[in-house]
Amino acid sequence: MSLEKHIISILRAASLSDSLPSGETIESPISILTLDGYLLAHNDHMADLLQQKHATGHWLERCPKLAINLVRDSFNQTINYGSNTITRPIISANNKVHLVSPTKQLINIDGFAFIFNSTKIVQEDIDTNVVRLFSLPTSRPGCHKDQLN
């Protein structure tokens, strides 16, 4: 992470500190991803949402095709500006589609950049008409890194 991006990230975090109430528990899905979009860790709430016990895979595996550019742009904006929030559909392992609003933040862990993702669930198991609009991904797991650029 460049010095400029680190400063921007710190300033954004500081600007939020006075406007948010102090938290006591984490009741929402959270996860940590690589900058390339691979899921490294998640809490039990995210595991329930994704229907996935172990943190594994790439965001493209959980993204309807029509939302891919939106999510790709969200990752790029997070990397460039330190944080980003969008509203988008997400697909769980049992092929149910949920509408979520993840907030991504660029974080530093032991000198390496990662993306911390806290997710607000807007609606679970959204209507089948939306599922038809946002068709399921067709790419094979493990073949996603080239699609990010």
Side-chain angles (χ1 to χ4, degrees):
M1 177 178 355
S2 72
L3 180 59
E4 292 85 8
K5 290 180 184 177
H6 188 67
I7 291 170
I8 290 171
S9 181
I10 290 171
L11 291 174
R12 285 180 186 260
S15 71
L16 289 174
S17 67
D18 288 336
S19 65
L20 297 174
S22 177
E24 310 245 345
T25 62
I26 298 174
E27 299 296 328
S28 64
I30 60 172
S31 58
I32 297 176
L33 299 103
T34 66
L35 298 186
D36 291 338
Y38 289 92
L39 182 63
L40 296 176
H42 59 58
N43 68 353
D44 291 340
H45 298 291
M46 183 63 83
D48 291 343
L49 179 68
L50 297 177
Q51 291 293 298
Q52 185 174 331
K53 185 176 181 177
H54 301 289
T56 184
H58 193 274
W59 66 262
L60 280 173
E61 296 169 16
R62 295 178 291 282
C63 186
K65 286 188 275 185
L66 289 178
I68 286 174
N69 286 335
L70 175 69
V71 177
R72 182 179 292 123
D73 290 346
S74 172
F75 267 83
N76 290 335
Q77 288 177 6
T78 302
I79 292 166
N80 289 327
Y81 303 112
S83 66
N84 182 269
T85 302
I86 60 171
T87 299
R88 72 174 194 92
I90 191 170
I91 303 167
S92 63
N94 60 2
N95 284 334
K96 289 191 176 185
V97 179
H98 312 291
L99 190 61
V100 296
S101 184
T103 297
K104 295 178 188 67
Q105 292 178 297
L106 198 58
I107 61 170
N108 174 343
I109 299 177
D110 197 25
F112 296 95
F114 294 93
I115 292 178
F116 178 82
N117 188 37
S118 60
T119 302
K120 176 182 176 185
I121 300 171
V122 177
Q123 185 176 349
E124 290 187 82
D125 198 12
I126 57 179
D127 188 275
T128 55
N129 291 326
V130 177
V131 174
R132 280 185 238 132
L133 175 66
F134 291 103
S135 56
L136 299 176
T138 57
S139 57
R140 295 185 325 268
C143 299
H144 307 295
K145 193 168 186 176
D146 296 337
Q147 295 177 4
L148 283 173
N149 298 323

